[in-house]
Every structure is written in structure tokens, then in C-alpha cells.
Amino acid sequence: QVSLDNFGKKLSIGIIVLCGIIFVMNLFHGVNILDSLMFAVALAVAAIPEALSSIVTIVLAIGTQKLSKENAIIKNLKSVEALGCVGVICSDKTGTLTQNKMTVKKVYVSGRVLEDSGLDSTRLAEDIILKESVLCNDATTEVGDPTEIALINLAEKYSVGYKELKEKYPRISEIPFDSDRKLMSTVHEIDGKIIMFTKGALDSLLPRLKSIIHGSEIREITPEDIKEIENINTMFAETGLRVLTYAYKVLECEKDICHDDENGYIFVGLVGMIDPPRVESKEAVEKCIMAGIKPVMITGDHKVTARTIAKEIGIYQEGDNVLEGVEVEKMSDEELKEKVAHTSVYARVSPEYKIRIVTAWQSLGKICAMTGDGVNDAPALKRADIGIAMGITGTEVSKDAASMILADDNFSTIVKAVTTGRNIYANIKNSIRFLLSGNTAAILAVIYSSFAGLPVIFAPVHLLFINLLTDSLPAIAIGMEPSHGEVLKEKPRDPKEPILTQALSSRILGEGLLIAIFVMAGFYLGYGEMKDALKGSTMAFAVLCLARLFHGFNCRGNSSIFGLGFMSNPFSVVAFLIGFVLLSGVLMIPALHGVFEVAPLGMNDLLAVYGLAFIPTVIIQAAKYFKYKR
């Protein structure tokens, strides 16, 4: 929007000055004031692409519709274009990069590592693990957090019915899980004792341990025990398992527990579960890297687990940093800014750290996309250039704060959205190229005829016909060009880069000059020795109109029409045919000749028009073919 505003102001000023010069020159050549004024106004109308703003809106709206079919719901149009600038995607792991389908794989208990099918509910520690999996849990077998559903399923394997157990030992008190403590605690009366179950992250529970169950014995925990527990935790994490630590304690009496009660625990065991990466995540990450986009994974998992999963997907590369939340907390903003470019994984990260990560990337000049699903993610989603909420697991607060919602919670959908965003911006630039190169041809032809002292080359109605009837449809069709994969081979666009770059300006001027040469050839062919100004004007008008219609195929992309595929964008063919029919009607229906100020043309004249209008496209397509080899 900013670029278009600046572009529009400069273009308008330039064209007004140019039309003023043309007006004076027409007066100098003896054209009366009213006709000179009418022509100058018509030239201004023709030269300024006033349809551009509506074309941009239409293209963005169509892009939004396309994204919604790809499970990316855009909440405002400007986000579609902004997606094309994204240089960093900070994504949650669970459910976005992974399947969010947890399954318990290994259990460490009483000094042994067991597969999930190797538990025995008659042994003390294993029985406690199965009970705690059900009681210190808010899920059912179908509804709830995937981690907790996996624990319910573990208990169900051993005929420990969660409904019966919860009815038999109702919850007396609780402290819900939160991202700072990384613990969840519940209290139950079991066999006449008040038992407090706690599960959570090892680094949070380890300092709170006092005793350990080993076999049927409960004894004081030793440094050797702690070392072994840490080693097993690391081993689980290195195989990509998410690890939960189980502990419990006996309370003296029934009471409402508080945070101060979460200490003096008896260690029970570790439960390792896997959440497999989505099949499509690895390919999506590869596309990100190819497109010059930095994928970053943010998770509450253990550092080693996070790195293992990130490496499997392709996010973590050798030499990258893996930072934990406590490390981020200790860093100043400047220190984080220095680290962030080389950090691909953040582990044990609380939602409030996300906003610092986003800000650090933005301070490096990057357009940053950030995913989130919780209430605490809302500030980071607001701060990010593109805030992305989860449609399935996301809270209403996160969805309200985001500019895009993933209906399928899938990372690959973000990459599709970025591809579409880039393609839309490329299409808008191509539409601008089409409009301005055609307008440049008209302006150059008018300037030449004025300096050469020729009759007025176009009637005002000619310019209005081109501007209103044969420009808009091809421009919209160019805006609907499908992605051909080229956009992902480019680096992210600098958001400060103007729409009209030097390269695009040179291309517009070159193509406009090429079309203008053949327009003037058409004029001279009609003007002839008889100096028939009306016929010359008619042929110039016809060549310009038809050449611009052909030029619509040139502006579909960088590759030649052979590389793009002639019918890959059927809208461009339809737009050409409509324009061709309208022009043919004006040239061939006698009743319209007076209205549009055209002279009758013979078959040879029409063939000359078709040939002259087609030659610029042949030259442009040949240049593209040899430059891009397709």
C-alpha cells in the first residue's frame, strides 16, 4: 500500500507535466484549444492506470480465497502481500511440525528401561505410574491434550479403567500445569492415605526429590540415582522422546495444596513418548530453506528432544545454536540479537519469550511470522509481522490476535501461504508492467507525432477505448497467474523495495518503445502518400490495442509462453479473446466507425495490423526463451 501510494503520486505528477507539454505542442501546431485540451485529458486518463488499485484488490481477494481452500484463513488483505516478504518462520513444534499424536514408547522405573508393553501393575512403582497416569490427568481417551490422552491409553492397556479409577479416587485438590513451573499436581485419598501426585519436566522436579522407589523399597535418593535418572532422560531425549517425570508424596492431612507443597517428593519414574513429525514437514522445511526463509522451532520440550526432532525435519543444521528459555531470560536484548540469526531451536521456552525472539529478528530487518495457540501467545502474535494462530488447538484470544489462522495446524500450510503471497506480489508487479508498458507505448507514439509535426495520432475515444475496455481484463488475468515454482527460488523481498525497481522500469520502457515503433509503422502505413490522417490514426489505434492484448501473454511471468504453458492460465486467453472481439467489432461494423472515429480498413490493412501488433510479442518471447531457456 505504501509503495503503491508513492508510486501513484510520482506517476501522476509526471503524467500531468507531460500532458501539459503535449497540450502546448498541439496548440503550437495549430490545433484549437478545445481539441488540444480534450486530447491532453484523454492522454492523462489513458496514461494513468486508474484500474490498478481495483486490480490489486481483486488479486488480493482472489488470493485470500485460494489460501482459504489451502487451510490458511487470512483476516485482512494486506497480510496476503506481506506473506511474500517473510524471511523467518518461528513455529511451535507440537501439532504444527509434528502429528500431535502422542504414544508412550518407553518407561524408566526401578532402575530398568521398559517398553510400553513391559509394565506390571502388580509391582509398586509401575502400579503408581499407571494410577498417576490416570489421576494426575485432565483428559479422556478421546478429549484433551494429546500428551495426557497418551497416558490414559497407557493405563487402558493394563485394564486400568480411567473412569472407574477417577470415580474410586476423586480429586480433592489440584495445582494445574503452567509453563513456568512445568508441573501438574493433584491430591487423592488412596487406601486411607492422602496422596499428592505430580508429573512434569525433570529439570523442575529433580531439585524437589527426597526419596526414590526401587523395587518395593522406598529409600533416600542418592547422587548416583540422580546421575542415572539424568542419563536416562538424556537417552530418551536423544531418540526424540518427550519425557515426563513422575513423583508423589504422602500428605499429613486432607487440604488444599499450594506451590510450597510441591517438594519432598518420592521419585517414581520417567515416561517417554513420541510425537512423530508430519510427513510433509521435512519437504516444507526444504522449500523454506530454498526460498531463503529461516525456519525456527520453538517448543517446551527438553533441549535434546527438540534438537533431535529439528534435525530430523531439517530445521537444525550443524553449527546452529539451541537455546533454552533460561538462557534467553539471562540475555540482554543486544545479546539475543547477536544470537538469534544462528539459533534454529528454542527449548523449554515460555510464551512470553516469543515476543523477544520476534523483536530480535525484526531488529535485524527481517519480516517475521510467528505461530501460537495459547492465551499467552497473543502479545507475540500481535508483535509479529504475520501472527499465525492454530485453528484446531488455538484459543479464541490467539485467533483474535493473529492475522492468519491455520485451519489444519500444519507447518506446510504456512509455506504454501508464503508461496501464494510471493506469487500474488509477482502477479501484481506483472500487472503493473503490463499496464505501464502499454501506456508508455501510447505516450511515446504521441510524443513522437507531436515532435514530428504529424496529425494527432489518436482520437480521445481511442485512448479511452483502450483504457476502459481492453486493459483491465488482461491485467486481472495476469493477476490470476498460478505459481510456477519460480517464486520459491528467489530470496525474500525487501519490504522497503519500491514496486517500480530500476530493472522493472527498464523493462517497461524497452517494451513500451518496441510497441511504439510498430504503432508508428502502422500509422505511416495508413497515412501513406495520400496523407490520410483518419486511416493512419485508425491503424495506429488498432496496432496499439491489439499489441497490448498480445503483450498480456508476455507479462504473465519471466519465462516464455512455452515455459509457462499457453493454457496454464486460461483467464489470459479469455481476456485476449474478449478484447480481440471488441476491437474487431469497432473496426468491422460500419455503424461503429463514426462513434469511435475510425476509417474502414481493407483485408490487406487488417492483415498488416495483425502482423505489426504480433511482431513485438514474437521479439519479447524469443528474448525470454533464449534468456531463461524455456
Side-chain angles (χ1 to χ4, degrees):
Q1 289 172 334
V2 172
S3 296
L4 281 175
D5 286 344
N6 292 334
F7 166 69
K9 288 174 185 176
K10 294 175 183 177
L11 183 66
S12 299
I13 292 170
I15 287 173
I16 289 170
V17 170
L18 178 63
C19 290
I21 294 171
I22 297 297
F23 172 71
V24 172
M25 291 186 69
N26 282 343
L27 290 177
F28 179 77
H29 287 299
V31 181
N32 65 64
I33 292 179
L34 183 59
D35 288 343
S36 297
L37 182 62
M38 282 290 289
F39 182 78
V41 170
L43 182 61
V45 171
I48 295 175
E50 66 278 352
L52 181 58
S53 59
S54 58
I55 287 168
V56 169
T57 303
I58 290 168
V59 171
L60 289 174
I62 292 169
T64 301
Q65 186 181 42
K66 180 183 177 184
L67 284 169
S68 68
K69 293 177 181 177
E70 295 175 344
N71 295 314
I73 300 166
I74 302 296
K75 292 174 61 180
N76 52 64
L77 282 181
K78 65 182 181 182
S79 299
V80 180
E81 184 270 326
L83 281 166
C85 306
V86 168
V88 182
I89 301 176
C90 296
S91 173
D92 291 328
K93 177 185 78 71
T94 304
T96 309
L97 290 163
T98 60
Q99 297 177 22
N100 205 16
K101 295 178 181 177
M102 287 287 185
T103 306
V104 174
K105 287 294 183 184
K106 292 184 179 180
V107 177
Y108 170 72
V109 62
S110 295
R112 297 178 301 153
V113 175
L114 305 173
E115 298 299 320
D116 65 312
S117 58
L119 292 173
D120 186 344
S121 60
T122 64
R123 289 195 284 255
L124 177 62
E126 294 163 47
D127 179 58
I128 292 173
I129 277 182
L130 294 173
K131 279 189 171 68
E132 186 166 346
S133 293
V134 173
L135 297 175
C136 190
N137 195 319
D138 291 325
T140 69
T141 53
E142 297 176 353
V143 180
D145 180 81
T147 299
E148 296 202 319
I149 291 174
L151 298 176
I152 292 283
N153 291 335
L154 174 68
E156 289 276 301
K157 275 188 178 182
Y158 296 90
S159 302
V160 180
Y162 76 94
K163 289 182 180 178
E164 295 82 359
L165 207 61
K166 286 191 173 186
E167 288 174 4
K168 186 176 180 180
Y169 307 119
R171 188 176 298 182
I172 298 170
S173 179
E174 68 176 317
I175 304 178
F177 175 86
D178 69 59
S179 55
D180 292 325
R181 287 166 40 252
K182 299 183 180 67
L183 299 175
M184 175 184 179
S185 298
T186 61
V187 177
H188 309 264
E189 183 178 350
I190 300 176
D191 299 332
K193 296 179 181 179
I194 307 300
I195 305 294
M196 177 177 171
F197 290 125
T198 298
K199 73 173 191 287
L202 178 65
D203 50 0
S204 296
L205 258 177
L206 201 58
R208 306 168 192 258
L209 298 178
K210 182 180 179 182
S211 306
I212 185 172
I213 296 179
H214 203 284
S216 58
E217 176 191 3
I218 298 176
R219 58 173 173 77
E220 187 175 339
I221 197 165
T222 65
E224 289 75 18
D225 293 325
I226 291 173
K227 184 68 176 176
E228 182 176 351
I229 291 168
E230 289 176 330
N231 289 340
I232 297 296
N233 183 69
T234 301
M235 183 184 76
F236 280 9
E238 285 176 344
T239 58
L241 298 181
R242 171 182 283 187
V243 186
L244 280 178
T245 307
Y246 280 46
Y248 81 102
K249 65 185 288 188
V250 179
L251 300 178
E252 293 180 359
C253 60
E254 181 180 321
K255 65 171 186 171
D256 288 334
I257 55 174
C258 62
H259 291 174
D260 291 338
D261 294 311
E262 291 184 317
N263 55 62
Y265 285 111
I266 303 167
F267 174 79
V268 181
L270 303 175
V271 174
M273 58 193 77
I274 191 165
D275 180 14
R278 288 180 182 264
V279 177
E280 61 272 29
S281 290
K282 188 171 184 178
E283 182 183 355
V285 167
E286 288 174 355
K287 288 181 178 179
C288 273
I289 295 170
M290 179 178 69
I293 300 170
K294 173 81 172 176
V296 176
M297 190 175 87
I298 299 176
T299 178
D301 283 354
H302 187 274
K303 188 174 185 177
V304 179
T305 304
R307 184 177 60 201
T308 301
I309 296 293
K311 191 171 184 179
E312 183 179 343
I313 295 171
I315 289 178
Y316 176 83
Q317 306 287 332
E318 290 301 326
D320 286 355
N321 294 326
V322 180
L323 293 180
E324 287 190 311
V326 290
E327 297 175 279
V328 174
E329 186 177 18
K330 292 175 184 176
M331 289 181 184
S332 67
D333 290 341
E334 280 301 314
E335 288 173 329
L336 182 59
K337 181 179 175 181
E338 290 176 9
K339 287 274 190 181
V340 75
H342 304 288
T343 303
S344 58
V345 180
Y346 294 87
R348 294 282 193 246
V349 171
S350 300
E352 55 266 29
Y353 298 136
K354 287 185 175 182
I355 196 165
R356 291 192 63 200
I357 295 169
V358 167
T359 305
W361 274 113
Q362 290 173 331
S363 67
L364 295 175
K366 297 290 186 179
I367 299 298
C368 186
M370 171 69 78
T371 70
D373 55 10
V375 173
N376 294 337
D377 289 328
L381 295 179
K382 277 284 188 185
R383 185 72 176 86
D385 300 284
I386 300 289
I388 305 170
M390 302 297 108
I392 299 173
T393 60
T395 60
E396 290 304 314
V397 174
S398 66
K399 292 175 185 177
D400 288 342
S403 48
M404 185 172 97
I405 299 171
L406 294 184
D408 58 357
D409 291 11
N410 195 333
F411 179 81
S412 66
T413 300
I414 304 175
V415 180
K416 290 178 186 175
V418 170
T419 304
T420 300
R422 286 192 179 189
N423 192 59
I424 286 170
Y425 186 78
N427 288 347
I428 289 172
K429 285 189 72 171
N430 288 335
S431 294
I432 292 172
R433 172 187 161 197
F434 167 76
L435 292 169
L436 292 189
S437 54
N439 292 358
T440 299
I443 291 169
L444 291 176
V446 169
I447 291 173
Y448 174 83
S449 63
S450 297
F451 276 104
L454 297 171
V456 175
I457 190 170
F458 302 119
V461 70
H462 295 164
L463 298 173
L464 295 177
F465 176 89
I466 293 171
N467 198 43
L468 298 177
L469 297 180
T470 61
D471 261 9
S472 299
L473 286 179
I476 292 173
I478 291 168
M480 297 174 74
E481 183 73 19
S483 175
H484 298 286
E486 296 175 352
V487 290
L488 278 181
K489 296 177 182 177
E490 302 168 1
K491 298 299 179 186
R493 179 177 61 84
D494 184 351
K496 297 178 182 178
E497 177 186 274
I499 286 182
L500 209 61
T501 60
Q502 185 175 353
L504 182 59
S505 299
S506 300
R507 178 176 282 189
I508 287 170
L509 184 60
E511 292 171 350
L513 177 60
L514 182 63
I515 294 172
I517 290 170
F518 288 92
V519 168
M520 291 312 303
F523 175 82
Y524 278 118
L525 197 61
Y527 192 56
E529 296 180 358
M530 303 298 293
K531 297 191 182 301
D532 188 341
L534 182 60
K535 186 175 180 181
S537 175
T538 300
M539 291 191 68
F541 157 66
V543 171
L544 177 61
C545 191
L546 189 55
R548 292 178 75 157
L549 289 173
F550 279 124
H551 191 48
F553 295 108
N554 300 326
C555 296
R556 284 177 50 191
N558 290 328
S559 298
S560 71
I561 199 70
F562 304 104
L564 296 174
F566 186 72
M567 290 302 297
S568 60
N569 183 359
F571 301 104
S572 62
V573 178
V574 172
F576 173 83
L577 292 175
I578 291 173
F580 182 78
V581 168
L582 291 172
L583 176 62
S584 298
V586 169
L587 296 177
M588 297 179 184
I589 300 174
L592 297 177
H593 289 176
V595 176
F596 289 96
E597 299 183 31
V598 296
L601 298 181
M603 184 55 66
N604 289 337
D605 297 325
L606 288 172
L607 291 175
V609 165
Y610 297 153
L612 291 171
F614 188 57
I615 291 174
T617 291
V618 172
I619 295 171
I620 293 169
Q621 287 295 322
K624 282 184 172 191
Y625 181 81
F626 289 109
K627 182 176 181 180
Y628 298 101
K629 301 300 181 185
R630 55 180 176 176

